[in-house]
Amino acid sequence: MIKDDEKRIGSHSVSVLQGKRKVCYVSGQKTDLQKHHIFHGEGRRDVSDRHGFWVYLQAKYHSAAMGGLHAYPNSGLDLQLKRLCQREYEKVYGAEAFFEIFHEDFIPFKEYAAVDMQKDMWEDIALCNWVRDFKGKNKEIYTADEYWNKMHERGIKKPLNGCYLCEYESQFGEVEECIHTKPNWETIKTTEEAEKQALYARDNIGIEKRGFEVWGK
């Protein structure tokens, strides 16, 4: 059990997500601010205060009467803040320490799972291109689109942007486009080249581009 004064990343005066900045977490404005306890209800406000699980929000984003997040508990912005807070806390203390506090897990799709599934995807695409090259079909490139068509036939849902890392990140906010490592399919002319680029993508999946910190690395 980690004591309250060990490795403290937040407190009554320091937010895990905002530090000491006193602005609306959503808009960045400094007026009409209210303190939102990220984990609220059932005696959790004091726990949120103690650990820095809070942010400032303008009333329109906070108040249930104004259609703020308290009008839609455990969804939308409310759930997003819980997931962001859990992720930041786990970076310092680990998943078990967070679970000891709330006995809940707000992040259903885990980072390590996203990383493993992304690597497996590129491994499969590389293998399919190797097989086609071995059979002398070096012009019949096996692309990510073909891969996902096959997965659809098997009843496997395509992740956001065809990328498991984007799917993971979408739990914490909007992901407009994929910026993770992938082959440049427009320039690839042979299965041999497609295999090499897929293997490169497997070994350099671009986790650093969105601040990933892979467990155990």
Side-chain angles (χ1 to χ4, degrees), residues 95-194:
E96 290 185 5
F98 181 86
F99 193 79
E100 283 183 3
I101 299 174
F102 295 112
H103 303 287
E104 286 188 65
D105 186 347
F106 298 92
I107 306 175
F109 187 34
K110 298 300 182 183
E111 177 184 81
Y112 62 84
V115 170
D116 288 345
M117 295 168 79
Q118 189 82 342
K119 288 184 176 182
D120 288 345
M121 176 185 72
W122 292 127
E123 181 97 29
D124 288 347
I125 291 173
L127 178 60
C128 287
N129 278 293
W130 179 87
V131 170
R132 289 184 178 182
D133 187 55
F134 180 77
K135 292 181 177 180
K137 301 178 179 180
N138 65 335
K139 298 296 184 180
E140 298 181 18
I141 299 168
Y142 189 89
T143 65
D145 286 340
E146 186 173 353
Y147 173 85
W148 285 116
N149 287 336
K150 294 292 185 183
M151 293 299 103
H152 178 73
E153 292 173 3
R154 299 175 187 176
I156 299 175
K157 182 181 177 181
K158 181 180 178 179
L160 179 65
N161 297 328
C163 174
Y164 287 109
L165 303 183
C166 286
E167 185 72 23
Y168 167 78
E169 292 159 7
S170 69
Q171 299 174 114
F172 309 98
E174 184 176 354
V175 177
E176 295 182 356
E177 62 179 340
C178 179
I179 61 172
H180 301 107
T181 308
K182 52 186 172 293
N184 186 350
W185 298 111
E186 294 181 358
T187 63
I188 294 175
K189 304 300 182 183
T190 66
T191 52
E192 181 181 8
E193 185 180 355

Side-chain angles (χ1 to χ4, degrees), residues 16-28:
V16 167
L17 298 182
Q18 286 189 296
K20 293 186 177 182
R21 295 183 67 225
K22 194 170 183 179
V23 298
C24 176
Y25 185 82
V26 176
S27 68

